[in-house]
Structures are given as structure tokens and as C-alpha cells.
Amino acid sequence: MRKPKLRELKEALSSLFSKPYTIKYPYEPSIPPKAFRGKPRYVEEECIGCGACAQVCPANAIEVTELVSGSSGKRKLTVHHDHCIFCGQCQRYCTTEKGIILTNEYDTATYDRTDATTEVEKDLLICEHCGVVIGTVEQIRWVAQKLGPKAYANLGMALILHRDLDLLGKTAPLSPNAPIDRTDHIRFLCPKCRRELILYEQWGP
Ligand code: SF4
Ligand code: SF4
């Protein structure tokens, strides 16, 4: 019989008295390394609901749904973990740089795929004249705050800042198909309706 070499004997003895390299997962948790890319999660207070993450997602794992009812609405962004490839593009290209993070959670096992999601919901700003979606309130406020005093060059942004300061009075809802006129300047209007209003003022009906 071939006798073990001294080095092999030493290794066998040290392995006998040292801790194993493997862990008893799932009976004890596996701690992922620092740079691990796990389930994406929205950070409610940092996300502005702009939807840029959905546009850069290569796996189409982020669903954007908008529910509009009259003059109000919500935009919901849903990350489907069963479609996600954990590439981190959403985090990298997030507009605010902090709206979505890849956590170190790796366990995606579930009996129901609809549970494998993470969501965020934001209020929409709707054009008071034609009813189209202008953007989310937080998105417009975020841009206005970034621009500082220059934001007052844009009436929509100025209105958001005034509303935040409680300086904006209540306006009666516009009746459908009502013509637009100069009193509508203090309403939230989409760029198309705002242009119509300015042209109306310059050239008349
Ligand atoms: S702020 Fe970031 S996380 Fe939120 S919708 Fe925009 S890109 Fe996505
Ligand atoms: S990690 Fe990649 S695949 Fe997953 S939601 Fe973000 S961009 Fe999409």
C-alpha cells in the first residue's frame, strides 16, 4: 500500500479539526458578498416614478401601469423578480440615483409568481383640459427643485412649487370640450394645451 505523504497527512489532520467550508443552507442563512446583486427594491422616498428604470431594463422586467380617473391618477411600477436578470441597469440609470437598489436578497422561491414582485406607486399630474398624463407630481417637483429659480420659467413647474407653498387657490373643474382661455393659465396643462392657450392669446380664437 502506498503510504501518504507528510503534506497530505498534515492536510487531513488540519481538515479534521477545522470548520467546514460549506454551510448547511437552507438551515442556516448564506451571507452574500458585498457586491452581490439580488432582488431589486424601490426606495419609496427617493423614487419619483419617472419610469426610466423600466425603459433601460433589458429583460422587460419592470411593468408600468397608469390608472387615471377624472382629474387624478396613479402610476404603478412593478418589478417582476421572475423576469429579472439582476443586471443592475435600473439602479445604475435611475434618474435620482437612489430610487431603486439591488438588495442582497437572493431567495426568489415562491409558490405564487404574483408574490415575486416589488412595487411603488406615485400620484400623476393630469392635464386639466385634455386629460392626458403630464408626468408624476414628484417627477415635476424634482426637476423644479433641481432647476432652482430657473424653474419659474416653466409655468407647470411654477404651479407645482406654488401649490407646495399653499399659494395656489382652488380652481373649478373644466367642463369637457370647454374652450381654453386666459384664466386657464393657473391650471395644470400639458405642453400641447399650454401652447394652444398661448397661441389663442396671441392670435385669438
Ligand atoms: S426614480 Fe429611479 S427607480 Fe424611480 S421610476 Fe425613476 S428611474 Fe425608476
Ligand atoms: S436588475 Fe436588470 S433585469 Fe432586473 S429589473 Fe433591474 S434592469 Fe431589469
Side-chain angles (χ1 to χ4, degrees):
M1 194 180 92
R2 192 171 152 255
K3 289 183 184 167
K5 285 186 210 152
L6 208 58
R7 182 181 60 80
E8 287 165 346
L9 202 61
K10 191 178 150 209
E11 266 180 33
L13 280 174
S14 72
S15 304
L16 205 62
F17 296 104
S18 57
K19 278 176 70 180
Y21 281 104
T22 52
I23 56 156
K24 290 182 180 168
Y25 181 81
Y27 300 106
E28 60 181 76
S30 161
I31 311 292
K34 216 173 168 190
F36 183 81
R37 298 197 298 237
K39 288 183 196 173
R41 180 168 54 79
Y42 283 108
V43 183
E44 171 74 44
E45 57 283 9
E46 300 290 350
C47 172
I48 54 172
C50 64
C53 50
Q55 288 178 8
V56 297
C57 175
N60 267 342
I62 304 180
E63 185 187 4
V64 183
T65 44
E66 287 178 351
L67 286 172
V68 180
S69 156
S71 59
S72 62
K74 297 261 184 204
R75 177 180 291 167
K76 188 160 84 171
L77 292 121
T78 311
V79 179
H80 294 275
H81 298 147
D82 53 342
H83 287 211
C84 177
I85 55 171
F86 309 102
C87 61
Q89 297 282 52
C90 49
Q91 180 176 341
R92 184 169 180 193
Y93 293 108
C94 170
T95 308
T96 64
E97 298 176 355
K98 300 177 209 152
I100 189 165
I101 50 163
L102 266 69
T103 62
N104 57 9
E105 294 166 33
Y106 50 82
D107 191 355
T108 51
T110 175
Y111 287 112
D112 183 0
R113 275 174 177 243
T114 54
D115 287 344
T117 55
T118 178
E119 296 175 348
V120 72
E121 210 172 71
K122 299 286 167 182
D123 288 333
L124 283 173
L125 196 62
I126 312 287
C127 174
E128 291 183 53
H129 186 244
C130 69
V132 304
V133 173
I134 302 172
T136 66
V137 176
E138 286 183 41
Q139 181 182 358
I140 292 159
R141 184 184 291 129
W142 184 83
V143 177
Q145 284 166 353
K146 281 267 162 198
L147 286 172
K150 289 181 189 152
Y152 287 92
N154 178 292
L155 206 48
M157 289 188 203
L159 287 175
I160 283 273
L161 297 173
H162 276 79
R163 194 172 76 174
D164 288 350
L165 294 170
D166 221 4
L167 296 175
L168 209 61
K170 282 224 178 285
T171 47
L174 269 177
S175 47
N177 305 322
I180 204 161
D181 70 38
R182 63 178 53 202
T183 59
D184 294 327
H185 266 304
I186 53 161
R187 292 184 187 278
F188 289 103
L189 299 175
C190 67
K192 182 173 163 282
C193 292
R194 176 85 53 207
R195 197 166 54 243
E196 251 178 51
L197 174 56
I198 291 164
L199 288 174
Y200 167 82
E201 279 188 337
Q202 285 183 356
W203 306 105

